[in-house]
Amino acid sequence: MPLALLALAIGAFGIGTTEFVIMGLLPEVAADYGVSIPTAGYLVTGYALGVMFGAPLMTVLGTKISRKRMLMLLMGLFILGNLLSALSPAFSVMLIGRIVASLAHGAFFGIGSVVAADLVAPDKKAGAIAMMFTGLTVANVVGVPLGTLVGQSVGWRVTFGIVAALGVVGLAGIARLVPDMPKAEGVRLRHELAAFKNVQVLLAMAMTVLGFGGVFAAITYIAPMMTHVAGFADGSVTWLLVLFGLGMVGGNLVGGAFADRALMPMLYVSLSALAVVLALFTLTAHDKLLSAVTIALIGALGFATVPPLQKRVLDQAHGAPTLASAVNIGAFNLGNALSAWLGGLVIAAGLGYTAPNWVGAALAAAALVLAILSAALERRTDGPGTVIRGAAPAEHRAAVHH
């Protein structure tokens, strides 16, 4: 794997850290600004919305420049947002900082996926994408716990200052190590938009929403589930989330390796196993040891779907994949928001803290059904990347074949 992937992984590590570390620092931030915890929660919501809307927006704005330069600009935006959060004199300013940083998130992973895939041979593309996403998964194992510890010990502003410094390292790495890879000649915004006329691209994005949504249906409510049902102490939730993060790291690497050999079978196995494990979590959540094992498995199986689904979008939107790739990153966040809402509904309905696991199992099973449908439709067409009639202009097809 080329060193350029290390630079992308460092950027992903910083982005993953800033996305999730705020959850452990909400009490400190709320106390500092004199706001309630629910009000401080807008820092999480605002970031998620920024990712969803920022992914296509920033990608469209970057259509006129090279991918390397756009990645550098995105890291600059990320650094600015985190510095603004670290130095913010008021809560409203910090919220703006969070949104500024979030605008870089989706486009960075979307464009970064395309760059990572272009850096390697065709049979190693999913592995390269997984290598970049390793930065995000490792952030959940190392960056988030350490950032939380630093924030609770010496102040949350220091945490965001460190994250901004990580962004500087990532920016320098991209500038030094990532080759200048100009966009494909003749590809315009209309070609990027044409990818969304391809039913296979839309199915892959729907699988992303439902599959990873299944993971977050359970993990969003992991703290009350583990303390009230499994009987863990409040302080144990941190290391349980570390187990979840370790599972994510392993699943990401395995998913990347096998997706390059058999992408759709990898999705079948991971999604079906995820649905089963989430359903079983309603039972294993009553035992401490089984809970810990199950949480690690959910992380592994959930993130085993990420490289194959991201590569699936790139394959089906070939020739002009950048916008579709970025929107698929937004689809992960949409799945997280949707599943958290559904999980909250079943708890509010009095079905108990384990009820979100059934929601997650149903979402994962629905993603599996879509994967089977996608493969069946593909067998009736000309193969990967087939575009629905009228989806791509003739000049785009010529540019691609050229």
Side-chain angles (χ1 to χ4, degrees), residues 95-132:
L95 180 58
I96 292 172
R98 291 285 293 168
I99 293 173
V100 169
S102 73
L103 293 176
H105 184 126
F108 181 88
F109 282 107
I111 297 172
S113 295
V114 177
V115 171
D118 285 347
L119 287 170
V120 297
D123 62 341
K124 297 183 182 296
K125 289 183 181 294
I129 294 170
M131 188 63 67
M132 182 190 69

Coordinates of all heavy atoms in Angstrom, one line a residue, residues 95-132:
L95 N -20.8 26.0 18.3 CA -21.7 25.3 17.4 C -21.3 25.6 16.0 O -21.3 24.6 15.1 CB -23.1 25.7 17.7 CG -24.2 25.0 16.8 CD1 -24.1 23.5 16.9 CD2 -25.6 25.5 17.2
I96 N -21.0 26.8 15.7 CA -20.5 27.2 14.3 C -19.2 26.4 14.0 O -19.1 25.9 12.9 CB -20.3 28.7 14.2 CG1 -21.7 29.4 14.3 CG2 -19.6 29.1 12.9 CD1 -21.6 30.9 14.4
G97 N -18.3 26.4 14.9 CA -17.1 25.6 14.7 C -17.3 24.2 14.4 O -16.7 23.6 13.5
R98 N -18.3 23.6 15.1 CA -18.6 22.1 14.9 C -19.1 22.0 13.5 O -18.8 21.0 12.8 CB -19.6 21.6 15.9 CG -19.1 21.5 17.3 CD -18.2 20.3 17.5 NE -18.9 19.1 17.3 CZ -18.4 17.9 17.2 NH1 -17.0 17.8 17.1 NH2 -19.1 16.8 17.1
I99 N -20.0 22.9 13.0 CA -20.6 22.8 11.7 C -19.5 23.0 10.6 O -19.5 22.3 9.6 CB -21.8 23.8 11.6 CG1 -22.9 23.4 12.5 CG2 -22.2 23.8 10.1 CD1 -24.0 24.4 12.6
V100 N -18.6 23.9 10.9 CA -17.6 24.2 9.9 C -16.7 22.9 9.7 O -16.4 22.5 8.6 CB -16.7 25.4 10.3 CG1 -15.4 25.5 9.5 CG2 -17.5 26.7 10.2
A101 N -16.3 22.3 10.9 CA -15.5 21.1 10.8 C -16.3 19.9 10.1 O -15.7 19.2 9.3 CB -15.1 20.6 12.2
S102 N -17.6 19.9 10.3 CA -18.4 18.8 9.8 C -18.5 18.9 8.3 O -18.7 17.9 7.6 CB -19.8 18.8 10.4 OG -20.6 19.8 9.9
L103 N -18.4 20.1 7.7 CA -18.5 20.3 6.3 C -17.4 19.5 5.5 O -17.6 19.2 4.4 CB -18.5 21.7 5.9 CG -19.7 22.6 6.4 CD1 -19.5 24.0 6.0 CD2 -21.0 22.1 5.8
A104 N -16.3 19.3 6.2 CA -15.2 18.6 5.6 C -15.4 17.1 5.6 O -14.7 16.4 4.8 CB -13.9 19.0 6.3
H105 N -16.2 16.6 6.5 CA -16.2 15.2 6.8 C -16.6 14.3 5.6 O -15.8 13.5 5.2 CB -17.2 15.0 8.0 CG -17.3 13.5 8.5 ND1 -17.1 13.2 9.8 CD2 -17.6 12.4 7.8 CE1 -17.3 11.9 9.9 NE2 -17.6 11.4 8.8
G106 N -17.8 14.5 5.1 CA -18.3 13.6 4.1 C -17.5 13.7 2.8 O -17.2 12.7 2.2
A107 N -17.2 15.0 2.4 CA -16.4 15.2 1.2 C -15.0 14.6 1.3 O -14.5 14.0 0.3 CB -16.3 16.6 0.8
F108 N -14.4 14.7 2.5 CA -13.1 14.1 2.6 C -13.1 12.6 2.4 O -12.3 12.0 1.7 CB -12.5 14.4 4.0 CG -11.1 13.9 4.3 CD1 -10.0 14.6 3.9 CD2 -10.9 12.6 4.8 CE1 -8.7 14.1 4.1 CE2 -9.7 12.1 5.0 CZ -8.6 12.9 4.6
F109 N -14.1 11.9 3.1 CA -14.1 10.4 2.9 C -14.6 10.1 1.5 O -14.1 9.0 1.0 CB -15.0 9.8 4.0 CG -14.4 9.7 5.3 CD1 -14.8 10.6 6.4 CD2 -13.4 8.8 5.6 CE1 -14.2 10.5 7.6 CE2 -12.9 8.6 6.8 CZ -13.2 9.5 7.8
G110 N -15.5 10.9 1.0 CA -15.9 10.5 -0.4 C -14.8 10.7 -1.4 O -14.6 9.8 -2.2
I111 N -14.2 11.9 -1.4 CA -13.1 12.1 -2.4 C -11.9 11.2 -2.0 O -11.2 10.7 -2.9 CB -12.7 13.6 -2.4 CG1 -13.9 14.4 -2.9 CG2 -11.5 13.8 -3.2 CD1 -13.6 15.9 -2.7
G112 N -11.6 11.0 -0.7 CA -10.5 10.2 -0.3 C -10.7 8.8 -0.8 O -9.7 8.1 -1.1
S113 N -11.9 8.3 -0.8 CA -12.2 6.9 -1.3 C -11.8 6.7 -2.7 O -11.2 5.7 -3.1 CB -13.7 6.5 -1.1 OG -14.0 6.5 0.3
V114 N -12.2 7.8 -3.5 CA -11.8 7.7 -4.9 C -10.3 7.8 -5.1 O -9.8 7.0 -5.9 CB -12.5 8.9 -5.7 CG1 -12.1 8.9 -7.1 CG2 -14.0 8.9 -5.5
V115 N -9.7 8.7 -4.4 CA -8.2 8.8 -4.5 C -7.5 7.5 -4.0 O -6.6 7.0 -4.7 CB -7.7 9.9 -3.6 CG1 -6.2 9.9 -3.6 CG2 -8.2 11.3 -4.2
A116 N -8.0 6.9 -2.9 CA -7.4 5.7 -2.4 C -7.5 4.5 -3.4 O -6.6 3.8 -3.7 CB -8.0 5.3 -1.1
A117 N -8.7 4.4 -4.0 CA -8.9 3.4 -5.0 C -8.0 3.6 -6.3 O -7.6 2.6 -6.9 CB -10.4 3.3 -5.4
D118 N -7.8 4.8 -6.6 CA -7.0 5.1 -7.8 C -5.5 4.9 -7.6 O -4.7 4.8 -8.5 CB -7.2 6.6 -8.3 CG -8.6 6.7 -9.0 OD1 -9.2 5.7 -9.3 OD2 -9.0 7.9 -9.2
L119 N -5.1 4.8 -6.3 CA -3.7 4.7 -6.0 C -3.2 3.2 -6.2 O -2.0 3.0 -6.2 CB -3.4 5.1 -4.6 CG -3.5 6.6 -4.3 CD1 -3.4 6.9 -2.8 CD2 -2.3 7.3 -4.9
V120 N -4.1 2.3 -6.3 CA -3.7 0.9 -6.3 C -4.3 0.1 -7.5 O -5.1 0.7 -8.3 CB -4.2 0.2 -5.0 CG1 -3.5 0.8 -3.8 CG2 -5.7 0.2 -4.9
A121 N -3.9 -1.1 -7.7 CA -4.3 -1.9 -8.8 C -5.8 -2.2 -8.6 O -6.3 -2.2 -7.4 CB -3.6 -3.3 -8.8
P122 N -6.5 -2.6 -9.6 CA -8.0 -2.8 -9.6 C -8.4 -3.9 -8.5 O -9.4 -3.8 -7.9 CB -8.4 -3.3 -11.0 CG -7.3 -2.6 -11.8 CD -6.1 -2.6 -11.0
D123 N -7.5 -4.9 -8.3 CA -7.9 -6.0 -7.4 C -7.6 -5.6 -5.9 O -7.7 -6.5 -5.0 CB -7.2 -7.3 -7.8 CG -5.7 -7.2 -7.7 OD1 -5.2 -6.0 -7.7 OD2 -5.0 -8.2 -7.6
K124 N -7.1 -4.4 -5.7 CA -6.8 -4.0 -4.3 C -7.6 -2.7 -3.9 O -7.3 -2.1 -2.8 CB -5.3 -3.7 -4.2 CG -4.4 -4.9 -4.4 CD -2.9 -4.6 -4.2 CE -2.1 -5.8 -4.5 NZ -2.3 -6.9 -3.6
K125 N -8.6 -2.3 -4.7 CA -9.3 -1.1 -4.4 C -10.0 -1.1 -3.1 O -9.9 -0.1 -2.3 CB -10.2 -0.8 -5.5 CG -9.6 -0.4 -6.8 CD -10.6 0.0 -7.9 CE -9.9 0.4 -9.2 NZ -9.1 1.6 -9.1
A126 N -10.7 -2.1 -2.7 CA -11.5 -2.2 -1.5 C -10.5 -2.2 -0.3 O -10.8 -1.6 0.7 CB -12.4 -3.4 -1.4
G127 N -9.4 -2.8 -0.4 CA -8.4 -2.9 0.6 C -7.8 -1.5 0.9 O -7.5 -1.1 2.0
A128 N -7.6 -0.7 -0.2 CA -7.1 0.7 -0.1 C -8.1 1.6 0.6 O -7.8 2.4 1.5 CB -6.7 1.2 -1.5
I129 N -9.4 1.4 0.2 CA -10.4 2.2 0.9 C -10.5 1.8 2.4 O -10.6 2.7 3.2 CB -11.8 1.9 0.2 CG1 -11.8 2.4 -1.2 CG2 -12.9 2.5 1.0 CD1 -13.0 2.0 -2.0
A130 N -10.4 0.5 2.7 CA -10.4 0.1 4.1 C -9.2 0.7 4.8 O -9.3 1.0 6.0 CB -10.3 -1.5 4.1
M131 N -8.0 0.8 4.2 CA -6.9 1.3 4.8 C -7.1 2.8 5.3 O -6.7 3.2 6.4 CB -5.6 1.3 3.9 CG -4.3 1.6 4.6 SD -3.9 0.5 5.9 CE -3.6 -1.0 5.0
M132 N -7.8 3.6 4.4 CA -8.1 4.9 4.8 C -9.1 4.9 5.9 O -8.9 5.7 6.9 CB -8.7 5.7 3.6 CG -9.0 7.1 3.9 SD -10.0 7.9 2.6 CE -11.6 7.1 2.8

